[in-house]
Amino acid sequence: MTITAETGPDARAAAPLGRLLAAEVRWVFRRPRTLVTLGLFALIPVLIAVGVVVADRDGGGGLIGAVAGNGLVLPIAALTVALALLLPLAVAMAAADAIAGEAANGTLRGLLLAPVSRLRLVGVKAFGVLVVAAAAALAIAVVGVLAGMIVVGSADGGMVTLSGTTLGLGAGLARVALVTVWVVGQLAAVGAVALAVSSLTEHPLVVLASVLGGLIAFGVLSAIPALDWLQPWLLTSGWSAGADALRYPITLDAMGSSTLRALCYAAIGVGFTLWRMQRRDA
């Protein structure tokens, strides 16, 4: 066979990026566990709403207590609760399937031999993990808004902040959107780290155990007063900052610092994954 420009080595970068991304998204949402996971996440705000109403609108103190009679707080409370463990679990599962799962099923070899550069391959896999993170956060946020407005009710159609100020519907939804985007950023960092671990093994369970074990260890370290100097380096530091969106005026210092930290983790994770995949044998 004659080697032409279409069949030579340069053809590895010729595959349309849009087609690759669309194929990865279809593959992600064809997994039954992805759909089941999204369904379970959509139940979280519903269960919180029902719990608050059944408890005679006495949710106690803290963020959950602020949901009572204040439905737009519900999606922010649900996102904060799920960010502690459940959302990172879903993202870690997606990252484990992205590389380690493909290797376990024997399909990674075909991907590495396909006419696609390894840079694009890593980018496509990272995009698939990001889609799962965004879909999970949106499922909680959208259902949380609906459940909050319908089941819990809202204060004059708006949101009462933790500072006692009442915001309009548009301002309240804007704060929900802000927290949702911030949560997706934190999950992107978890997904990048999980992809890095996934590139080192052929066993998805190893990825799950490593990532969740690391997050639990971070949580333990952050709870030890003598190790306060570690706080700026721990990914989980500031994961409760979503509640700052419920204050007036809004304070973004904690959310900003946690976003910067997440970007650093994401850059390191994706960079390591790319380095590893460039040297991985087919």
Side-chain angles (χ1 to χ4, degrees):
M1 181 180 66
T2 302
I3 298 179
T4 63
E6 289 75 15
T7 60
D10 292 336
R12 290 181 62 84
L17 181 59
R19 184 185 303 173
L20 295 175
L21 297 177
E24 183 67 16
V25 171
R26 287 195 300 269
W27 176 251
V28 165
F29 286 106
R30 281 177 182 172
R31 296 178 185 136
R33 63 173 153 226
T34 300
L35 301 178
V36 171
T37 300
L38 293 178
L40 292 176
F41 281 133
L43 284 177
I44 293 176
V46 175
L47 293 176
I48 295 176
V50 171
V52 170
V53 172
V54 169
D56 295 327
R57 298 182 179 272
D58 181 13
L63 193 55
I64 299 298
V67 174
N70 196 11
L72 284 181
V73 175
L74 177 60
I76 296 178
L79 284 168
T80 302
V81 170
L83 183 59
L85 187 61
L86 297 178
L87 283 170
L89 174 62
V91 173
M93 287 174 55
D97 286 335
I99 297 179
E102 297 272 15
N105 294 329
T107 54
L108 183 62
R109 176 181 175 84
L111 293 174
L112 295 177
L113 293 176
V116 179
S117 68
R118 304 221 173 167
L119 174 61
R120 281 196 174 193
L121 178 60
V122 172
V124 168
K125 291 300 181 182
F127 178 77
V129 175
L130 182 61
V131 166
V132 173
L138 281 174
I140 294 176
V142 172
V143 176
V145 170
L146 296 177
M149 300 295 288
I150 297 172
V151 180
V152 178
S154 61
D156 298 326
M159 170 192 288
V160 177
T161 67
L162 297 178
S163 305
T165 306
T166 301
L167 302 177
L169 178 60
L173 291 176
R175 299 206 176 193
V176 173
L178 173 63
V179 174
T180 303
V181 173
W182 172 75
V183 168
V184 172
Q186 302 304 306
L187 295 177
V190 175
V193 173
L195 270 180
V197 178
S198 187
S199 68
L200 294 172
T201 180
E202 296 182 356
H203 305 286
L205 289 179
V206 172
V207 181
L208 292 177
S210 300
V211 174
L212 295 184
L215 293 177
I216 292 172
F218 280 7
V220 172
L221 292 175
S222 64
I224 301 176
L227 298 178
D228 285 345
W229 57 273
L230 277 176
Q231 292 289 341
W233 306 97
L234 301 178
L235 177 59
T236 56
S237 295
W239 274 11
S240 60
D244 291 345
L246 297 174
R247 305 188 186 280
Y248 187 87
I250 188 171
T251 56
L252 298 177
D253 292 344
M255 294 178 69
S257 61
S258 61
T259 299
L260 180 60
R261 185 162 45 245
L263 288 174
C264 293
Y265 271 87
I268 293 172
V270 172
F272 181 86
T273 303
L274 180 59
W275 175 83
R276 169 61 180 159
M277 295 300 290
Q278 291 283 13
R279 287 156 178 77
R280 184 160 185 163
D281 295 332

